[in-house]
Amino acid sequence: MTATNRHSSSFRDPSGYVEVSGGKVYRHINPVYFDQYQAIKKAGFFEKLFEKKLLIPHKEISANANAIVLEAEQVPFVTYPYEWSFAQYKHAALHTLKLQKYCLQNGFSLKDATAFNITFHNGAPVFIDTLSIENYTDGEPWRAYKQFLMHFLGPLVLAKYFGNDMLKLLHQYIDGLSLQKVVELLPFKARFSTILYTSLYLTAKYEGKYSADKNKAKGGGKAAISKNAQLKIIDALYDYIKGLNINEKTEWNNYYAVTNYDKAAFDHKKELVKSWVDKIKADKIIDHGGNDGTFSRVLTAKASLILTTDIDANAINQNYTQVLKNKEQNIIPVVCDLMNPPAGIGFNNKERQSLKDRLISSQFDVSLALALIHHISLTGNVPFLMSAEYFAQLSKYLIIEFPDRDDSWVSFLLDSKREFRGHFDYYNLENFEKDYKEYFSIVEKTVIQGTSRTLYLFERNQ
């Protein structure tokens, strides 16, 4: 292995590491974890986890005294917790609890419960860290319990009271939220919840490093807790999280119900997008600003992967609900502000890759930017040249919709500039085409019938 093929996020667990080579994902197991791995394998437990879709499947491809190597099923695109909607985050938390419960029932346990061990694959959450499973020792408390609270319960409860933005906190706090901070932020009434008091408030009291050190110095240790008691705690957490809701509305709620398209124009736009995706034989698609996934769903039969991003967490929540309802395996909804996409974080700023780097390395065929450029240009003040440069990095083709100055949304945005409206005279079709031609060539160009909007199929310049 060289420094170039070891995955940048795989260094925290001495049990092994992940290597990405030739587009495949390999998990190397170090001798220190051999006994655990063989015990799980001998019990046939990996196969049970695969059947229940609790763990990403793998196959063993080599074994010697120095390493056992597994090849893991390919996950086309890995998303991180701060890119999930509330429903996705809840589902990821429940999946982790379900996995821990099943592990306990079969004589095993999770040693890690970080939210980064979950991603979305085939329309559902899946646990991707095989080496997080260990043998259960009778009476030993769940060692990842506090980590689960810091990565899942804390953010979810804060989101319940303060909104979706709380789910982005792991972008800043990669090791999870301090429980002391969580309980300080929660309203007073939260302590009257039995589950929050026992899991968050009491655990926060003993959270501090110095408290733990003092405890050890006194010869103290963690009290034994029976398996049945642990299962009851997991069930209680599961029921509480399952019942959590968020009540937050945004300006983009029901976007497509208030759009200025009539049905004929909307259908015309759908047909254009479909025919152009057919024309370029696109298999992997990014739908930027895709809201609830209305246009992504037009293409589900044509693509193996559609990543639908939007700044509006509620729209992404609606999208994910549809993914579950329709059992769609090729749509991944992602919460993302295109004006401030998630950056690389962690060690060397590479432990968790930026969204842009993941998009580029995944080699998408086409980007959709429908009803988006006027927001980027007139709300974000991004010059055409800069948005063109950004899109040109992400995919070979770009389908982009340009609303002219006569469009009602564009008029609204220009009017909101008041005395500075004249500073945005550059916003017109001619300047748009001129600047985008620096990075793209026009393949097709059509006015959407009954609108002041033009749809373009661009191909990136060589």
Side-chain angles (χ1 to χ4, degrees), residues 86 90 94 97 156 236-245:
F86 190 75
K90 262 180 65 171
L94 296 175
L97 290 174
L156 282 167
L237 278 170
Y238 190 96
D239 291 342
Y240 179 83
I241 291 172
K242 188 178 178 184
L244 274 177
N245 286 305

Side-chain angles (χ1 to χ4, degrees), residues 65-135:
N66 298 317
I68 299 171
V69 180
L70 312 178
E71 182 181 343
E73 182 173 304
Q74 186 78 21
V75 176
F77 195 88
V78 173
T79 57
Y80 299 143
Y82 41 80
E83 298 163 344
W84 300 338
S85 70
F86 190 75
Q88 288 174 298
Y89 215 115
K90 262 180 65 171
H91 207 170
L94 296 175
H95 186 91
T96 302
L97 290 174
K98 203 183 292 183
L99 174 58
Q100 170 60 5
K101 181 175 181 178
Y102 192 64
C103 282
L104 274 180
Q105 290 170 332
N106 287 271
F108 300 98
S109 184
L110 285 181
K111 65 181 181 183
D112 292 307
T114 163
F116 291 99
N117 278 346
I118 296 277
T119 196
F120 287 82
H121 180 44
N122 293 331
V126 67
F127 198 85
I128 55 175
D129 187 6
T130 305
L131 306 192
S132 284
I133 300 168
E134 64 178 1
N135 291 324

Side-chain angles (χ1 to χ4, degrees), residues 5 50 69 157 164 181 187 200 243 259 290 336 353 366 385 397:
N5 54 16
F50 301 158
V69 180
V157 173
N164 285 298
K181 287 292 180 191
L200 293 181
T259 183
C336 167
Q353 288 182 297
V366 62
L385 270 175
Y397 291 98

Side-chain angles (χ1 to χ4, degrees), residues 181-404:
K181 287 292 180 191
V182 170
V183 298
E184 285 172 14
L185 290 170
L186 286 176
F188 185 76
K189 62 183 179 184
R191 70 184 59 224
F192 297 111
S193 159
T194 304
I195 191 75
L196 293 186
Y197 186 77
T198 55
S199 56
L200 293 181
Y201 287 88
L202 289 183
T203 308
K205 282 181 68 175
Y206 301 102
E207 181 183 51
K209 175 181 184 300
Y210 296 108
S211 299
D213 289 347
K214 190 190 294 183
N215 205 27
K216 284 178 186 174
K218 288 179 179 177
K222 291 180 179 177
I225 178 169
S226 71
K227 183 188 289 188
N228 279 339
Q230 292 189 51
L231 290 172
K232 285 179 182 175
I233 291 170
I234 290 169
D235 285 341
L237 278 170
Y238 190 96
D239 291 342
Y240 179 83
I241 291 172
K242 188 178 178 184
L244 274 177
N245 286 305
I246 190 169
N247 184 20
E248 183 182 60
K249 292 185 178 177
T250 63
E251 62 179 313
W252 301 111
N253 272 7
N254 301 315
Y255 172 72
Y256 288 111
V258 297
T259 183
N260 51 0
Y261 287 104
D262 60 27
K263 185 175 183 310
F266 204 59
D267 290 344
H268 185 217
K269 183 173 158 182
K270 282 183 177 177
E271 285 307 313
L272 284 172
V273 170
K274 255 198 306 192
S275 67
W276 289 354
V277 165
D278 274 343
K279 181 186 181 85
I280 59 176
K281 297 181 171 53
D283 182 53
K284 296 169 76 174
I285 299 167
I286 317 167
D287 186 3
H288 299 278
N291 201 266
D292 62 3
T294 294
F295 277 87
S296 297
R297 282 194 173 80
V298 170
L299 306 170
T300 49
K302 301 178 180 298
S304 67
L305 175 64
I306 304 173
L307 203 71
T308 311
T309 74
D310 204 281
I311 187 176
D312 190 306
N314 288 331
I316 291 298
N317 221 43
Q318 289 177 32
N319 191 351
Y320 182 62
T321 303
Q322 285 298 308
V323 166
L324 296 177
K325 183 180 175 185
N326 302 338
K327 297 182 178 175
E328 295 161 335
Q329 299 198 353
N330 58 347
I331 294 182
I332 302 178
V334 179
V335 178
C336 167
D337 177 359
L338 192 143
M339 295 300 297
N340 184 25
I345 60 169
F347 180 68
N348 200 21
N349 291 134
K350 292 182 177 177
E351 186 174 350
R352 305 297 166 195
Q353 288 182 297
S354 71
L355 181 63
K356 181 181 144 189
D357 285 347
R358 279 173 283 148
L359 293 175
I360 292 172
S361 64
S362 295
Q363 299 185 324
F364 284 86
D365 298 304
V366 62
S367 295
L368 307 185
L370 308 175
L372 194 60
I373 188 65
H374 48 314
H375 295 294
I376 299 172
S377 304
L378 299 177
T379 305
N381 292 3
V382 178
F384 290 142
L385 270 175
M386 290 178 67
S387 59
E389 180 188 21
Y390 177 72
F391 287 127
Q393 297 172 75
L394 305 185
S395 56
K396 180 179 179 183
Y397 291 98
L398 169 66
I399 297 176
I400 187 166
E401 176 184 16
F402 186 86
D404 214 335

Side-chain angles (χ1 to χ4, degrees), residues 21-38:
S21 179
K24 295 184 176 180
V25 178
Y26 300 99
R27 186 172 292 281
H28 289 242
I29 301 175
N30 294 331
V32 69
Y33 188 76
F34 279 6
D35 289 345
Q36 295 279 351
Y37 171 77
Q38 295 297 355

Side-chain angles (χ1 to χ4, degrees), residues 3 6-13 80 82 116 170-175 343-354 357:
R6 180 172 184 151
H7 195 278
S8 55
S9 70
S10 186
F11 62 88
R12 296 198 182 215
D13 187 352
Y80 299 143
Y82 41 80
F116 291 99
L170 255 59
H171 191 261
Q172 175 68 27
Y173 301 102
I174 191 170
D175 291 327
I345 60 169
F347 180 68
N348 200 21
N349 291 134
K350 292 182 177 177
E351 186 174 350
R352 305 297 166 195
Q353 288 182 297
S354 71
D357 285 347

